[in-house]
Amino acid sequence: MATIVDASVQPIPSRPYRLAHRTTRPAGSTITVGDVTFGAGSVVVMAGPCAVENRDQLLQTARQVRAAGARVLRGGAFKPRTSPYDFQGLGRDGLELLAEARAETGLLVVTEVMDSSEVDLVASYADILQIGSRNMSAFRLLQRAAETGKPILLKRGFQATIREWLLSAEYILAHGNERVLLCERGIRTFDSEFTRNTLDLNAIPVLKQETHLPVIADPSHGTGRADLVPTMARAAVAAGADGLLIEVHHDPSAAVTDAKQTISTDDFATLMDDLRGLGRYLGRPVE
Amino acid sequence: MATIVDASVQPIPSRPYRLAHRTTRPAGSTITVGDVTFGAGSVVVMAGPCAVENRDQLLQTARQVRAAGARVLRGGAFKPRTSPYDFQGLGRDGLELLAEARAETGLLVVTEVMDSSEVDLVASYADILQIGSRNMSAFRLLQRAAETGKPILLKRGFQATIREWLLSAEYILAHGNERVLLCERGIRTFDSEFTRNTLDLNAIPVLKQETHLPVIADPSHGTGRADLVPTMARAAVAAGADGLLIEVHHDPSAAVTDAKQTISTDDFATLMDDLRGLGRYLGRPVE
Amino acid sequence: MATIVDASVQPIPSRPYRLAHRTTRPAGSTITVGDVTFGAGSVVVMAGPCAVENRDQLLQTARQVRAAGARVLRGGAFKPRTSPYDFQGLGRDGLELLAEARAETGLLVVTEVMDSSEVDLVASYADILQIGSRNMSAFRLLQRAAETGKPILLKRGFQATIREWLLSAEYILAHGNERVLLCERGIRTFDSEFTRNTLDLNAIPVLKQETHLPVIADPSHGTGRADLVPTMARAAVAAGADGLLIEVHHDPSAAVTDAKQTISTDDFATLMDDLRGLGRYLGRPVE
Amino acid sequence: MATIVDASVQPIPSRPYRLAHRTTRPAGSTITVGDVTFGAGSVVVMAGPCAVENRDQLLQTARQVRAAGARVLRGGAFKPRTSPYDFQGLGRDGLELLAEARAETGLLVVTEVMDSSEVDLVASYADILQIGSRNMSAFRLLQRAAETGKPILLKRGFQATIREWLLSAEYILAHGNERVLLCERGIRTFDSEFTRNTLDLNAIPVLKQETHLPVIADPSHGTGRADLVPTMARAAVAAGADGLLIEVHHDPSAAVTDAKQTISTDDFATLMDDLRGLGRYLGRPVE
């Protein structure tokens, strides 16, 4: 609970964050997890279902996103749902399935932790801990997650300013964990008729100047529409994203959650081909 | 984690919340805590400092808000702060001071719980558990707080829709705790030059139709300006609020947090006189 | 087109508006139109249909709002409609009907002018020119309207900051017309499920400090719901509004435009009784 | 003023616009102005200063953007300024300078018309009439501009939903003018610390499905920062933009308006090289 100030860190004029500021690491941070490195010039693709639903769904999807070139498997075992009456995730069973999919495919696993009481459990399975958009300002959770030493994918609160987002990253850095990935996933604006959220690609070049941390884009939550995912994924790469987080399901029409924004494994394979070409052109390999 | 559906509850057409909907209790809920009742036609005033800072500050302020007519003492022991470098609250020591102030003044105590791991600790001191704006969608925290059986003051997320807010209340109700107070505390809009947030008084009459739960207004966070608090408190009472939550400090200029939006104990006494007159005119006693 | 600076006006530190700033007239402006004065401590009520539809509708409604105590008749002859396929107003015929209603009832007339080419026509009929929310930044229109010398009801753009709104008022003042009424009519936020707009009552006490101009509230557009109009009208008076603008129709279910937010003449009469009582209590007569 | 309905147009289920809807021209519209065609697969670049300031500034900038590959010269002669005390544009003199620059360079001219009373004047000089963000819902201006027969660049209101934007386009189409270019230029959100607006690239793929009209992106207003313009221009092309509108000045530090978001002619030349490469890769020539 004590105020944490490392006196050796020089304050940044007009910026309340210090460790997260670009000046701390002018060349940018690289973050290595297993055999994957974020921030070194390539574009790392993380893909998988919104929620872990069952063994067949997860393994089929994992094999196919692996075959298409993804490096990290996403999938929620603990699901923060707006309604208490909606599917809340498989919990520990979901984590077990993720571990099985990792063992079979070699993919790393990123999965969300919703509450400080579940940090140790989730960290014992995940390669990367995801902090969801609703929890970006759950400061105790950030601290507890930081203490596991696991890399952390910190999603932007859909209502959070960039300043607030970087201060949440600062909580993690100030608790001794340097491996933070920032994930833009769409903000809430006045218009939600055509898109669920508004993917804010401006944040990518802004963050490249403000911070040394790698920046990921999530076009699935960012738009809420499967048909927009390929275009916005392409635009995110053009805007400089260090990685993508994409919802993929072997049978999207049967997805229990986020069906509207989930692309099929076939469409994902096509998208990966497309992105690889663009990455080659831009000198930023997609992997 | 299981989906919770009480089959005897009739679904509400086009509303995903059920237990929180007005039709469940058409006459409205009354919520009694100690000798105070919310929702029975009067306006209950909760007042005190943003953060518990020290014994002298808390006791002086508590005595004076009590003398002016407040029924509940507010004060944060665990403070969710945007920056890790800001004062994070006194923690357990702050809770002890709140208990001491209660013992001396007879005021009830409302204080925030930020994390599920601290629910039992905070609940052992508080009469009412506050869930803060940033945590409105921290669903595990809502569940754990519900399980204590304590009444819960659920602040609106500053960019939460009314639908989302009522679904968060539904989480608490569905976990067996019927004593929920909804607190409007200002939303985030496109304009923050003159006010920190925009107190959304429209929410009060909307909620009076949508739900049976009592509705509280917080003009301190709602505006972020001490000089606007009296006017907006008055407007909130005119709009039908069942209670007010007001930041008061015996010496606002010395307040460690939220100094700009905190009124003095003298100004609070004047405001209470003003509100009592208005309450009498409206047939809704202010207490 | 020339830049307009009156060198004798002292600039306001950190405020780009000068003539509109409170310091220019610390006691506040009073604006007199016919036998009605805004800003002198009373609450002036302006009421009538959204659009002028036909003679019978307008005259019936006018008589009844007059009987209930309104002082100004509102009604649109030129209607800015989002769709080109919607009713666009009766134009000059509507203005004629407004003049007839004025002649019969003694009510003053406020009506909208949408375009600079129609300023002279509308000004030849109206007692007060309304600039609508969509046109708050139509600077040429503001200038042309200012030049008529008619008092101007300047509605806030639904996504205009208070600073921008006061600068639009400054355009009018800088063109030699001092009679500006500011009308808060609801802003656009992230939530429009329960209300069409969010009536921003915070703006009332903010404006009372920032400017000397009278402030009107429009709970009809501000909420978009007839059932919320009485409560929000009451709250606006409690917040210090100098006037109200309310949509009333002798048969709301038959209203061609804005039917959902229009109250009946009967409900208006009840509301006026209620507001008169509140105004007496507050020492601010409702007329 | 009459309601305009062409009965032969089939209504679009759940869409209030008809002529603008994609189904009206499933292959998309191409719009030809002089020797430039929008919507035929290439990316047309429009560049020039925010405001026409003087002969030297305009001609120098025009020559250099022409040399770098722009096809259309932008430049404001009538400037809608938030403050009445700011530079309001050169008016007719500015139009004369634009005509001179066109004569010398062969560039087409796009310039803003702010008011219906100035439509004929501006149309007598401009190749493309620009309707600015603040005037997107100035319906009489839309009608008058439509009647000139000139192609119209319709900027999105910074607060306008996509539905409202397409309805404003519908006003123009319904008045017999089929040559409408939609220009996304940034929306207003809750965060303006790092960018003036939030360029909404999601709108590009959404519009590609919703309408047949070409879509332009303005990264200058969209971000408000010169240093972000190149990245966001690239992302806009990747997202499918049919054109770009970019603020360029031969000496940005001396620009009277929008200096912060204006790039130099040198940086523009570099950007054009970059975009040409990207366009070749994507099969969409930049011109």
Side-chain angles (χ1 to χ4, degrees):
Chain A
M1 239 83 59
T3 299
I4 300 141
V5 180
D6 177 347
S8 71
V9 180
Q10 281 298 98
I12 311 302
S14 85
R15 293 288 186 276
Y17 37 87
R18 307 168 187 188
L19 303 172
H21 196 270
R22 185 85 192 181
T23 50
T24 302
R25 295 181 180 271
S29 288
T30 58
I31 294 180
T32 298
V33 195
D35 58 345
V36 174
T37 299
F38 295 87
S42 65
V43 179
V44 178
V45 180
M46 299 175 269
C50 173
V52 179
E53 297 170 5
N54 57 60
R55 189 167 181 278
D56 182 56
Q57 169 242 22
L58 187 67
L59 290 183
Q60 275 208 50
T61 303
R63 282 174 207 134
Q64 293 177 52
V65 300
R66 176 56 162 167
R71 303 296 301 276
V72 182
L73 176 66
R74 64 147 290 148
F78 294 92
K79 299 297 305 171
R81 303 304 302 281
T82 304
S83 168
Y85 305 112
D86 287 340
F87 174 62
Q88 308 273 315
L90 296 182
R92 184 189 293 263
D93 292 346
L95 297 174
E96 288 285 349
L97 291 173
L98 287 165
E100 183 180 345
R102 170 175 50 200
E104 183 186 318
T105 61
L107 290 164
L108 297 173
V109 165
V110 58
T111 195
E112 178 165 356
V113 55
M114 284 176 59
D115 190 73
S116 66
S117 66
E118 294 158 352
V119 166
D120 290 334
L121 174 65
V122 178
S124 69
Y125 288 91
D127 299 294
I128 303 171
L129 289 176
Q130 178 178 316
I131 303 289
S133 182
R134 293 178 184 81
N135 284 321
M136 192 202 81
S137 298
F139 303 119
R140 208 66 86 223
L141 173 61
L142 297 179
Q143 295 170 9
R144 285 286 298 113
E147 289 160 9
T148 65
K150 293 276 181 181
I152 293 174
L153 181 84
L154 179 64
K155 291 199 140 189
R156 181 183 187 177
F158 57 77
Q159 80 293 26
T161 63
I162 286 177
R163 173 186 286 251
E164 291 165 343
W165 190 11
L166 289 174
L167 279 164
S168 285
E170 189 85 3
Y171 264 94
I172 300 170
L173 298 170
H175 277 77
N177 187 332
E178 298 195 329
R179 295 195 291 171
V180 178
L181 304 166
L182 298 170
C183 181
E184 161 60 32
R185 49 75 72 202
I187 56 172
R188 177 168 281 182
T189 71
F190 56 82
D191 193 3
S192 57
E193 180 176 2
F194 290 103
T195 54
R196 181 180 177 190
N197 294 292
T198 298
L199 187 67
D200 178 11
L201 294 184
N202 308 268
I204 299 177
V206 166
L207 288 171
K208 287 289 163 197
Q209 296 200 17
E210 279 298 303
T211 184
H212 52 84
L213 298 169
V215 184
I216 313 299
D218 174 350
S220 306
H221 285 86
T223 63
R225 281 175 55 173
D227 61 342
L228 302 184
V229 165
T231 300
M232 294 310 286
R234 203 180 300 127
V237 170
D242 297 298
L244 295 169
L245 186 67
I246 300 178
E247 291 192 342
V248 182
H249 195 288
H250 76 288
D251 182 6
S253 65
V256 173
T257 56
D258 283 356
K260 287 186 187 168
Q261 70 196 37
T262 298
I263 64 174
S264 69
T265 42
D266 281 358
D267 287 345
F268 178 70
T270 303
L271 172 59
M272 285 299 284
D273 280 345
D274 182 28
L275 293 176
R276 264 188 296 265
L278 179 61
R280 269 191 302 270
Y281 169 73
L282 296 171
R284 298 176 48 237
V286 171
E287 55 180 355
Chain B
M1 237 85 58
T3 299
I4 301 141
V5 180
D6 176 346
S8 69
V9 181
Q10 280 300 99
I12 310 303
S14 85
R15 293 288 185 276
Y17 37 85
R18 306 168 188 189
L19 303 172
H21 196 271
R22 184 86 191 181
T23 50
T24 302
R25 295 180 180 271
S29 287
T30 57
I31 294 180
T32 298
V33 194
D35 58 346
V36 174
T37 298
F38 295 87
S42 66
V43 180
V44 178
V45 180
M46 298 175 269
C50 173
V52 179
E53 298 171 5
N54 57 59
R55 189 166 182 278
D56 182 57
Q57 169 240 24
L58 188 67
L59 290 183
Q60 275 207 50
T61 303
R63 282 173 206 134
Q64 292 177 52
V65 299
R66 176 56 162 167
R71 303 296 302 277
V72 182
L73 176 66
R74 64 148 290 148
F78 294 91
K79 298 298 304 171
R81 302 304 301 281
T82 303
S83 168
Y85 306 112
D86 287 339
F87 173 61
Q88 307 273 316
L90 297 182
R92 183 190 293 264
D93 292 347
L95 296 175
E96 288 286 348
L97 292 173
L98 287 165
E100 183 179 346
R102 169 175 50 201
E104 183 185 320
T105 62
L107 289 163
L108 297 173
V109 165
V110 57
T111 195
E112 178 165 355
V113 57
M114 284 176 58
D115 190 73
S116 66
S117 67
E118 293 158 352
V119 166
D120 290 334
L121 174 64
V122 178
S124 69
Y125 288 90
D127 298 294
I128 303 172
L129 290 176
Q130 178 177 316
I131 303 289
S133 183
R134 294 178 183 81
N135 284 321
M136 191 202 82
S137 299
F139 303 118
R140 208 67 87 223
L141 174 60
L142 297 179
Q143 294 169 11
R144 286 285 297 113
E147 289 160 10
T148 65
K150 293 276 180 181
I152 293 174
L153 181 85
L154 179 64
K155 290 198 142 189
R156 181 182 185 177
F158 57 76
Q159 210 166 30
T161 63
I162 286 177
R163 173 186 287 251
E164 291 165 344
W165 190 11
L166 289 175
L167 280 163
S168 284
E170 189 84 4
Y171 263 94
I172 300 170
L173 298 170
H175 277 76
N177 188 333
E178 299 195 329
R179 294 194 293 170
V180 178
L181 304 167
L182 299 169
C183 180
E184 160 61 32
R185 49 75 73 203
I187 56 172
R188 178 169 282 183
T189 71
F190 54 84
D191 193 4
S192 56
E193 179 176 2
F194 291 103
T195 54
R196 181 180 177 189
N197 294 293
T198 299
L199 186 68
D200 178 11
L201 293 185
N202 307 268
I204 299 176
V206 166
L207 288 170
K208 286 289 162 196
Q209 296 199 18
E210 278 299 302
T211 184
H212 52 86
L213 298 169
V215 184
I216 312 298
D218 174 350
S220 305
H221 286 87
T223 63
R225 281 174 55 172
D227 62 341
L228 302 184
V229 165
T231 301
M232 294 309 286
R234 203 179 300 126
V237 170
D242 297 298
L244 295 169
L245 186 67
I246 300 178
E247 291 192 342
V248 182
H249 194 288
H250 76 288
D251 181 6
S253 65
V256 173
T257 57
D258 284 357
K260 287 187 188 167
Q261 70 196 36
T262 299
I263 63 174
S264 68
T265 42
D266 280 358
D267 287 344
F268 179 70
T270 304
L271 172 59
M272 285 298 285
D273 280 345
D274 183 27
L275 293 176
R276 264 189 295 265
L278 179 61
R280 270 192 300 270
Y281 170 73
L282 296 170
R284 300 176 46 237
V286 172
E287 56 179 354
Chain C
M1 238 82 59
T3 297
I4 300 141
V5 180
D6 177 347
S8 70
V9 179
Q10 281 298 100
I12 309 303
S14 86
R15 294 287 185 276
Y17 36 88
R18 305 167 190 191
L19 303 172
H21 197 269
R22 184 85 193 181
T23 50
T24 303
R25 294 180 181 272
S29 288
T30 57
I31 295 180
T32 298
V33 195
D35 58 346
V36 174
T37 299
F38 295 87
S42 66
V43 180
V44 177
V45 180
M46 299 176 268
C50 173
V52 179
E53 298 171 5
N54 57 60
R55 191 169 181 277
D56 182 56
Q57 169 240 22
L58 188 67
L59 290 183
Q60 274 208 50
T61 302
R63 283 173 206 133
Q64 292 178 51
V65 300
R66 176 56 162 167
R71 303 297 300 278
V72 183
L73 176 66
R74 63 149 290 147
F78 294 93
K79 298 297 304 171
R81 303 303 302 279
T82 304
S83 169
Y85 305 112
D86 287 339
F87 174 63
Q88 309 272 314
L90 297 181
R92 184 189 294 263
D93 292 346
L95 297 174
E96 289 285 350
L97 292 173
L98 286 165
E100 183 179 346
R102 170 174 50 201
E104 183 185 319
T105 61
L107 289 163
L108 297 172
V109 165
V110 58
T111 194
E112 178 164 356
V113 57
M114 282 176 59
D115 190 73
S116 66
S117 66
E118 295 158 352
V119 166
D120 290 335
L121 174 64
V122 178
S124 70
Y125 288 90
D127 299 293
I128 303 172
L129 289 176
Q130 178 177 314
I131 303 290
S133 182
R134 293 178 184 81
N135 285 321
M136 190 202 82
S137 299
F139 303 119
R140 209 65 87 226
L141 174 61
L142 297 178
Q143 295 168 11
R144 285 287 297 111
E147 290 160 10
T148 65
K150 292 276 181 181
I152 293 174
L153 181 84
L154 178 64
K155 290 199 143 189
R156 179 182 187 176
F158 57 77
Q159 210 166 29
T161 63
I162 286 176
R163 174 184 286 250
E164 290 165 343
W165 190 12
L166 289 175
L167 279 163
S168 284
E170 189 84 3
Y171 264 94
I172 300 169
L173 298 170
H175 277 76
N177 187 333
E178 299 194 329
R179 293 196 293 171
V180 178
L181 303 167
L182 298 170
C183 181
E184 159 61 32
R185 48 75 74 204
I187 57 172
R188 178 169 282 182
T189 70
F190 55 84
D191 193 4
S192 58
E193 179 177 2
F194 291 102
T195 55
R196 183 181 176 188
N197 295 293
T198 298
L199 186 67
D200 178 12
L201 293 185
N202 308 268
I204 299 175
V206 166
L207 289 170
K208 285 290 162 195
Q209 296 199 16
E210 278 299 302
T211 184
H212 52 85
L213 298 168
V215 184
I216 313 298
D218 174 350
S220 305
H221 286 87
T223 63
R225 283 174 55 172
D227 61 342
L228 301 184
V229 166
T231 300
M232 294 310 286
R234 204 179 300 130
V237 170
D242 296 299
L244 295 169
L245 187 67
I246 300 178
E247 291 192 341
V248 182
H249 194 288
H250 77 286
D251 181 6
S253 64
V256 173
T257 57
D258 283 356
K260 286 187 187 166
Q261 70 196 38
T262 299
I263 64 173
S264 68
T265 42
D266 281 357
D267 287 343
F268 179 69
T270 304
L271 173 60
M272 286 298 284
D273 281 344
D274 182 29
L275 294 176
R276 264 190 295 265
L278 179 62
R280 268 192 303 270
Y281 170 72
L282 296 170
R284 299 177 46 238
V286 172
E287 55 179 356
Chain D
M1 236 82 60
T3 299
I4 301 141
V5 180
D6 176 348
S8 70
V9 180
Q10 281 299 100
I12 311 303
S14 85
R15 293 287 185 276
Y17 37 86
R18 305 167 189 191
L19 303 172
H21 197 270
R22 184 85 193 181
T23 49
T24 302
R25 294 179 181 273
S29 288
T30 57
I31 295 179
T32 297
V33 195
D35 58 345
V36 174
T37 299
F38 294 87
S42 65
V43 179
V44 177
V45 180
M46 299 176 269
C50 173
V52 179
E53 298 170 7
N54 56 61
R55 191 169 181 277
D56 181 56
Q57 169 239 24
L58 188 66
L59 290 183
Q60 273 208 51
T61 302
R63 283 173 205 133
Q64 292 178 52
V65 301
R66 176 56 162 165
R71 304 295 302 277
V72 182
L73 176 66
R74 63 149 290 147
F78 293 92
K79 299 297 305 171
R81 302 305 301 280
T82 304
S83 168
Y85 305 113
D86 287 339
F87 174 63
Q88 308 273 315
L90 297 181
R92 184 189 294 262
D93 292 346
L95 297 174
E96 288 286 349
L97 292 173
L98 287 165
E100 184 179 345
R102 170 174 51 201
E104 183 185 318
T105 61
L107 290 163
L108 298 173
V109 165
V110 58
T111 195
E112 178 164 356
V113 57
M114 280 176 59
D115 191 72
S116 66
S117 66
E118 295 159 352
V119 165
D120 290 335
L121 174 65
V122 178
S124 70
Y125 287 91
D127 300 292
I128 303 172
L129 289 176
Q130 178 178 315
I131 303 289
S133 182
R134 293 179 184 80
N135 284 322
M136 191 202 83
S137 299
F139 303 118
R140 208 65 88 224
L141 173 60
L142 297 179
Q143 295 169 11
R144 285 286 297 113
E147 290 160 10
T148 65
K150 293 276 182 181
I152 293 173
L153 181 84
L154 179 64
K155 290 200 142 190
R156 180 182 186 176
F158 58 76
Q159 81 293 25
T161 63
I162 286 176
R163 174 185 286 250
E164 289 165 345
W165 190 11
L166 289 174
L167 280 163
S168 284
E170 189 85 3
Y171 263 94
I172 300 169
L173 298 170
H175 278 75
N177 188 332
E178 298 195 329
R179 294 196 292 171
V180 178
L181 304 166
L182 298 170
C183 180
E184 161 60 32
R185 47 77 73 204
I187 56 172
R188 177 169 281 182
T189 70
F190 55 83
D191 194 2
S192 57
E193 180 177 2
F194 291 102
T195 55
R196 183 181 176 188
N197 294 293
T198 299
L199 186 67
D200 178 12
L201 293 184
N202 308 268
I204 299 176
V206 166
L207 288 170
K208 286 289 162 196
Q209 296 199 19
E210 277 299 301
T211 184
H212 52 86
L213 298 169
V215 184
I216 313 298
D218 174 350
S220 306
H221 285 87
T223 63
R225 282 175 55 171
D227 62 342
L228 301 184
V229 165
T231 300
M232 295 309 286
R234 203 179 300 128
V237 171
D242 297 297
L244 294 168
L245 187 68
I246 299 179
E247 290 192 341
V248 183
H249 194 288
H250 76 287
D251 181 6
S253 64
V256 173
T257 57
D258 283 356
K260 286 186 188 167
Q261 70 196 37
T262 299
I263 63 174
S264 69
T265 43
D266 281 357
D267 287 343
F268 179 69
T270 304
L271 172 59
M272 285 298 285
D273 281 344
D274 183 28
L275 293 176
R276 264 189 295 265
L278 179 61
R280 271 192 300 271
Y281 169 73
L282 296 170
R284 300 176 46 238
V286 172
E287 54 179 357

